[in-house]
Amino acid sequence: GHVEAAIKSYKQALHLRPDFPEATCNLLHTLQCVCSWEDRDQMFTEVEGIIRRQINVSIDMLMSVLPSVQPFHAIAYPIDPMLALDISRKYAAHCSMVASRFALPPFNHPAPNRIKGNGGNERLKVGYVSSDFGNHPLSHLMGSVFGMHNRENVEVFCYALSQNDGTEWRQRIQSEAEHFIDVSAMSSDVIVKMINEDGIQILINLNGYTKGARNEIFAMQPAPIQVSYMGFPGTTGADYIDYLVTDEFVSPLCYSHIYSEKLVHLPHCYFVNDYKQKNRDVLDPTCQHKRSDYGLPEDKFIFACFNQLYKMDPEIFNTWCNILKRVPNSALWLLKFPAAGEMRLRAYAAAQGVQPEQIIFTDVAMKHEHIRRSALADLCLDTPLCNAHTTGTDVLWAGLPMVTLPLEKMATRVAGSLCLATGLGEDMIVNSMKEYEEQAVTLALNRPKLQALTKKLKEARLTCPLFDTARWVRNLERAYLKMWNLYCSGQQPQHFKVTENDFDFPYDR
């Protein structure tokens, strides 16, 4: 009910003040969240026009006016990647303005000395800044990383922007990270001074433009090398962020113009997870769930998509409807995420000639149960405009194959990278919407082919690079070492690729 009320109030605001960009953009976002797609293309065109006008207004007048679409929404919408970069740039400039109010003199940075494993005797000091050290997808994915760093060569500092939420996730990172500092009660200028005094050489932004971020910390440049990683699947547009840690599939160099950062390509997939450490029991065949536990039909072929509904759009939903019509006795399993979208999607499906019982909605579940029950589906259908990221990792760990279509922006390519890192990507990545439909139908109608893929995926879980967190952390350390070496030799940040048999790296000798 409250979603409908919000839509109504935005519409009223627009009626009273048609030139009110905030209302237009908020309305658009709320409509997307509940899959209300009437006049969608026209609204996006209108919103793009609004953003372009906001961005083109002269800088002096505009110092404090931000584009009405936030970077976090821009990455998930069908808006031009260069426009998404411009939105991020405006937000980055705004953080710089917030930073300038603290009026701190520029910081002295640690001397460019060789470090351990590289002829020196000091360890590399790496600082992680996040508001999500707690019960949050970021900690579910990265939980092990802070403690897995090799203490001989790397000294880890975690700066928590949020207070202790008392969960096991927070406790774990607090106990495993070498230094864990709760800075949630401090002002940003005090935090930056502390980071600088700690002698941090590489500072990692785990938030980007997400809730709880304090990007002015990075705008004050307390560390000589600053990096965006994991929290935000897009460009920060910030000239004070040197690198984005990603991979060759997610951010190929041919798209480097849509990023402000230099691209660091980790081998395999950049998107880390902790399932091997924390969710092993999901693999135990004795405690598998049954379809009947969730009111799912035993006899139907079940396609699933567990993404939030704002990631869906008419084109993919029409494709899903075509698939359901072409595969006899099939159903599509979705989550009420949010519940207000359910009746609209049911109405769209009915209008496409899909039978009502072919669309199944269930409630969102706790992480553990969500991974377990994912295995009850037959095939996962990914959303192209903004992929399954955490959710994609969940379904692959559950042994559920998927079909994914990568586009240009970072958030549209993550699921493909996850699939490649299982070693079975060729069977799951398609190149067009037509191919998407054909692949889904082919797999559903060719049961032996799908069973073979599922079996291979299940067997690969404990050996493939995607779930090998320790291997992944070593590769991240290779990236940090290379960043520091470039800095020490007086070079500017540059795009580079991390390889696993890199003899510059102490672990490989």
Side-chain angles (χ1 to χ4, degrees):
H2 66 274
V3 179
E4 304 299 336
I7 291 173
K8 203 170 157 192
S9 69
Y10 290 136
K11 283 185 172 165
Q12 281 168 340
L14 274 175
H15 188 67
L16 297 169
R17 273 195 54 194
D19 62 334
F20 184 35
E22 237 58 43
T24 308
C25 298
N26 289 342
L27 173 63
L28 176 74
H29 184 62
T30 311
L31 292 172
Q32 294 319 300
C33 285
V34 297
C35 304
S36 176
W37 294 325
E38 290 82 0
D39 309 320
R40 185 173 189 266
D41 295 347
Q42 183 198 331
M43 276 194 80
F44 272 109
T45 306
E46 193 180 323
V47 161
E48 279 205 0
I50 288 173
I51 304 165
R52 287 185 202 282
R53 285 193 296 278
Q54 289 174 331
I55 282 167
N56 291 334
V57 173
S58 110
I59 273 300
D60 317 319
M61 288 166 50
L62 198 83
M63 257 340 249
S64 60
V65 178
L66 285 169
S68 305
V69 168
Q70 298 170 34
F72 194 77
H73 298 148
I75 60 176
Y77 286 163
I79 64 173
D80 178 57
M82 294 306 287
L83 189 56
L85 171 60
D86 281 336
I87 292 172
S88 283
R89 283 200 174 115
K90 282 288 190 215
Y91 274 76
H94 178 76
C95 297
S96 288
M97 191 184 69
V98 172
S100 69
R101 292 182 188 146
F102 290 103
L104 294 181
F107 286 106
N108 291 319
H109 288 148
N113 296 331
R114 292 280 168 206
I115 48 157
K116 256 199 161 151
N118 221 11
N121 44 16
E122 296 290 304
R123 297 190 291 162
L124 185 66
K125 292 186 172 192
V126 176
Y128 290 96
V129 180
S130 179
S131 63
D132 303 321
F133 294 130
N135 184 13
H136 182 277
L138 182 97
S139 293
H140 303 163
L141 292 164
M142 280 194 82
S144 290
V145 170
F146 312 104
M148 275 189 179
H149 274 300
N150 180 333
R151 284 200 184 194
E152 267 184 59
N153 293 325
V154 181
E155 187 175 359
V156 170
F157 294 74
C158 288
Y159 301 95
L161 299 175
S162 57
Q163 49 204 105
N164 192 339
D165 62 359
T167 61
E168 56 170 307
W169 310 100
R170 173 72 165 225
Q171 292 322 117
R172 176 167 178 219
I173 295 170
Q174 273 185 1
S175 64
E176 290 182 8
E178 187 167 347
H179 306 279
F180 187 98
I181 309 108
D182 182 340
V183 295
S184 59
M186 299 175 194
S187 60
S188 296
D189 56 334
V190 175
I191 299 173
V192 247
K193 284 179 188 151
M194 176 189 282
I195 290 170
N196 184 255
E197 277 159 22
D198 285 338
I200 300 300
Q201 292 156 307
I202 301 181
L203 189 64
I204 319 291
N205 185 337
L206 293 176
N207 274 102
Y209 301 110
T210 57
K211 198 163 156 271
R214 283 161 76 171
N215 291 309
E216 67 275 11
I217 289 171
F218 289 82
M220 291 187 251
Q221 298 188 38
I225 299 170
Q226 304 197 136
V227 180
S228 171
Y229 176 62
M230 250 335 244
F232 182 68
T235 182
T236 62
D239 54 12
Y240 45 83
I241 300 279
D242 305 297
Y243 293 105
L244 171 67
V245 174
T246 178
D247 63 59
E248 257 180 308
F249 185 85
V250 172
S251 313
L253 284 178
C254 61
Y255 295 147
S256 64
H257 60 282
I258 66 178
Y259 299 90
S260 60
E261 304 86 355
K262 292 293 180 249
L263 303 174
V264 173
H265 287 155
L266 293 187
H268 318 299
C269 179
Y270 87 98
F271 198 84
V272 72
N273 67 77
D274 202 13
Y275 298 173
K276 210 177 208 170
Q277 287 67 241
K278 292 298 285 181
N279 295 92
R280 269 294 174 98
D281 54 334
V282 170
L283 307 187
D284 177 0
T286 58
C287 56
Q288 297 300 330
H289 292 190
K290 294 193 295 294
R291 281 188 173 185
S292 52
D293 300 339
Y294 295 96
L296 295 168
E298 297 287 355
D299 60 332
K300 277 190 165 61
F301 185 95
I302 297 185
F303 296 102
C305 177
F306 301 127
N307 288 347
Q308 294 188 53
L309 301 184
Y310 78 84
K311 294 185 174 184
M312 293 169 196
D313 68 290
E315 192 183 7
I316 194 64
F317 198 76
N318 285 345
T319 301
W320 291 348
C321 290
N322 292 344
I323 293 167
L324 288 172
K325 288 186 286 189
R326 288 177 60 187
V327 176
N329 208 16
S330 63
L332 175 62
W333 181 15
L334 303 169
L335 298 187
K336 300 180 188 187
F337 202 176
E342 177 176 352
M343 62 167 206
R344 284 196 178 84
L345 286 179
R346 287 192 177 284
Y348 284 120
Q352 295 290 323
V354 170
Q355 299 307 308
E357 67 277 7
Q358 287 186 279
I359 306 285
I360 300 164
F361 275 92
T362 50
D363 290 313
V364 175
M366 293 295 287
K367 181 80 173 174
H368 234 69
E369 183 187 358
H370 156 67
I371 294 176
R372 274 232 179 90
R373 73 180 184 181
S374 300
L376 298 173
D378 295 295
L379 184 63
C380 173
L381 299 177
D382 185 37
T383 42
L385 275 185
C386 187
N387 295 167
H389 297 181
T390 309
T391 312
T393 320
D394 293 339
V395 300
L396 292 171
W397 183 244
L400 179 63
M402 71 162 93
V403 179
T404 185
L405 169 63
L407 304 171
E408 190 175 356
K409 284 191 284 198
M410 185 171 182
T412 74
R413 306 182 63 82
V414 175
S417 179
L418 297 170
C419 290
L420 282 173
T422 64
L424 300 162
E426 304 302 310
D427 295 312
M428 299 190 263
I429 301 169
V430 296
N431 296 305
S432 67
M433 205 52 101
K434 182 90 197 89
E435 211 182 299
Y436 183 108
E437 183 179 322
E438 293 311 318
Q439 179 68 349
V441 171
T442 302
L443 287 172
L445 297 182
N446 185 342
R447 289 312 275 273
K449 186 178 178 180
L450 179 61
Q451 276 160 352
L453 176 59
T454 306
K455 183 170 180 282
K456 277 196 268 187
L457 178 60
K458 287 185 167 164
E459 286 165 358
R461 288 177 293 193
L462 288 176
T463 53
C464 69
L466 180 60
F467 299 111
D468 193 339
T469 320
R471 176 178 183 177
W472 188 94
V473 173
R474 293 291 161 265
N475 289 325
L476 183 64
E477 290 177 352
R478 289 184 169 92
Y480 291 162
L481 194 68
K482 172 89 171 176
M483 290 171 193
W484 185 249
N485 287 346
L486 283 170
Y487 174 74
C488 288
S489 59
Q491 297 182 68
Q492 289 301 304
Q494 52 189 258
H495 301 305
F496 68 85
K497 175 178 169 175
V498 173
T499 51
E500 288 186 300
N501 51 358
D502 174 358
F503 291 105
D504 296 345
F505 194 70
Y507 308 129
D508 297 331
R509 296 226 172 93

